[in-house]
Amino acid sequence: MVRVEFLGPIQKEALELEAATLRDVAAALQSDAEVKDWLDTCAVAVNDTLVKSLDTVLKSGDKVSLLPPVCGG
């Protein structure tokens, strides 16, 4: 199981999923209307390290964080 956290303006509680890669996480989140629109714009971190590939391998206990773009001034 991996823990998926939603940061910033994504107003969703963390959840746990069975996933072998980030591609599995993305596929599971595609069916979630609250999150789906964020998937194309978010940066993704695994255990607090930014990653770019959906083929990133996950292991039980990993933390996946979705980081939406932020504006500030």
Side-chain angles (χ1 to χ4, degrees), residues 1-4 15-19 58-63:
M1 297 287 269
V2 298
R3 180 177 175 86
V4 181
L15 57 93
E16 295 200 359
L17 298 172
E18 287 289 338
L58 303 171
K59 61 184 181 306
S60 184
D62 280 349
K63 177 179 74 172

Side-chain angles (χ1 to χ4, degrees), residues 39-54:
L39 294 178
D40 290 334
T41 59
C42 283
V44 178
V46 175
N47 299 323
D48 300 321
T49 301
L50 289 175
V51 295
K52 293 185 180 185
S53 174
L54 287 177

